Amino acid sequence: MKRSREKAASELFAALYPRLAGWCRRLVDDDETAHEIASEAFTRLWARWTSVAEPRGFLYVTAANLVRDHWRKLERERRAMHRVTSEAAVRAHPEQADPSVRLLVQSLPERLRVPILLHYYADMPIREVSVLTGRKEGTVKADLHAARELLRVHLRRSLDHTP
């Protein structure tokens, strides 16, 4: 029993790790961090191996949460650096105010952020996002639409304020 469990876990790792790490890489823009996040997601899956019905979904949702934690850490670090720099130095670099889609996605409420990450960044169909989030497909579609509208408004607003 233990041998087949290990074999199944090994096969799952071989099949999913490269894609999961690549997905994380696109989100965090750093190879080492992406591999740490993907590895941690597998570690957490392994700890719950017998109770997880959908390993792929568990991995992506766990990785999405770890990416969110990474983004929060970066934002805390950014704010701390901002506090220790002078206002003049900050004004000397107006390009820092330019929005990035990653930061905008990060700012979405979790209800909207998770479907965006799973559907657009992990290339999961709406049906699968629905199963993983425990929401009806129509709700996922509505959440994706609401998230796209929020992102569109934020992008338009930030582009209107550029010189």
Side-chain angles (χ1 to χ4, degrees):
M1 177 67 179
K2 183 178 182 190
R3 189 73 188 130
S4 64
R5 177 180 173 221
E6 288 176 3
K7 184 175 188 233
S10 177
E11 289 171 357
L12 184 74
F13 183 85
L16 296 181
Y17 183 85
R19 188 168 180 185
L20 181 66
W23 178 70
C24 292
R25 169 67 173 88
R26 289 192 307 273
L27 293 172
V28 300
D29 200 28
D30 177 66
D31 285 333
E32 186 177 339
T33 303
H35 285 284
E36 287 175 10
I37 289 171
S39 297
E40 178 63 21
F42 270 96
T43 299
R44 291 181 185 191
L45 171 64
W46 184 249
R48 296 165 184 78
W49 183 252
T50 57
S51 63
V52 173
E54 178 51 54
R56 180 174 184 258
F58 179 90
L59 287 168
Y60 275 90
V61 169
T62 300
N65 289 334
L66 292 169
V67 164
R68 182 196 64 227
D69 292 345
H70 172 74
W71 286 346
R72 285 180 177 164
K73 178 183 175 221
L74 289 179
E75 182 61 19
R76 284 191 305 270
E77 289 171 356
R78 188 195 66 75
R79 276 193 235 124
M81 286 302 294
H82 179 73
R83 283 192 298 270
V84 298
T85 58
S86 70
E87 285 299 317
V90 172
R91 279 194 211 106
H93 301 287
E95 67 275 5
Q96 290 177 346
D98 289 348
S100 74
V101 173
R102 181 183 63 80
L103 290 174
L104 292 174
V105 169
Q106 176 186 349
S107 72
L108 290 172
E110 185 172 356
R111 176 182 65 83
L112 302 178
R113 184 179 54 249
V114 170
I116 287 283
L117 291 174
L118 295 176
H119 183 65
Y120 290 109
Y121 288 86
D123 298 322
M124 291 185 183
I126 289 173
R127 176 183 72 264
E128 195 168 347
V129 174
S130 169
V131 170
L132 293 176
T133 60
R135 300 180 194 146
K136 294 181 180 176
E137 285 185 36
T139 303
V140 170
K141 289 177 185 178
D143 288 346
L144 288 170
H145 176 75
R148 285 191 306 269
E149 287 302 310
L150 277 173
L151 293 172
R152 188 174 294 123
V153 166
H154 287 298
L155 282 171
R156 189 170 292 132
R157 186 178 306 138
S158 62
L159 290 175
D160 289 343
H161 287 67
T162 56

